[in-house]
Amino acid sequence: CVLRGCVPKKLLVYASSFQAEFRDACGFGWEESKRGFDLKHLMDKKTAEVQRLNGIYGRLLKNSGCDYVEGRGKIVDPHSVEVTAPDG
């Protein structure tokens, strides 16, 4: 969810709503100023937030006393997970 699911999606959907909010605000006394959109900046911020959350969750797991295995997991049968280390 944090890496590829709801968190990145919610950040991008939230950011996409601002244009309409800015437009609507003009009807309530706000003055329009220079508007622009920088996709690279948004994606960099999204990536930074995902990394921040990943760090928090990783620390919580490591400090919990559980067996912590980092990598990409693949369910191979009802009782087994195959993990490929981040370095391949």
Side-chain angles (χ1 to χ4, degrees):
C1 186
V2 174
L3 290 177
R4 293 176 183 83
C6 62
V7 171
K9 179 204 68 148
K10 285 179 182 175
L11 290 171
L12 296 175
V13 168
Y14 181 63
S16 73
S17 70
F18 287 136
Q19 182 177 11
E21 297 293 334
F22 291 142
R23 188 174 46 247
D24 291 345
C26 291
F28 293 93
W30 289 89
E31 293 183 21
E32 190 168 351
S33 61
K34 179 184 174 232
R35 267 194 277 172
F37 179 74
D38 184 340
L39 180 61
K40 182 180 179 333
H41 184 77
L42 172 61
M43 297 307 285
D44 290 346
K45 291 295 191 176
K46 183 265 309 170
T47 299
E49 180 62 8
V50 167
Q51 289 173 339
R52 184 187 76 81
L53 291 172
N54 228 21
I56 290 170
Y57 296 144
R59 282 189 298 281
L60 287 171
L61 286 169
K62 289 174 187 175
N63 293 336
S64 73
C66 72
D67 293 333
Y68 180 85
V69 179
E70 188 171 348
R72 186 172 193 95
K74 177 182 175 183
I75 298 172
V76 292
D77 65 48
H79 304 286
S80 304
V81 175
E82 180 181 282
V83 178
T84 303
D87 59 2

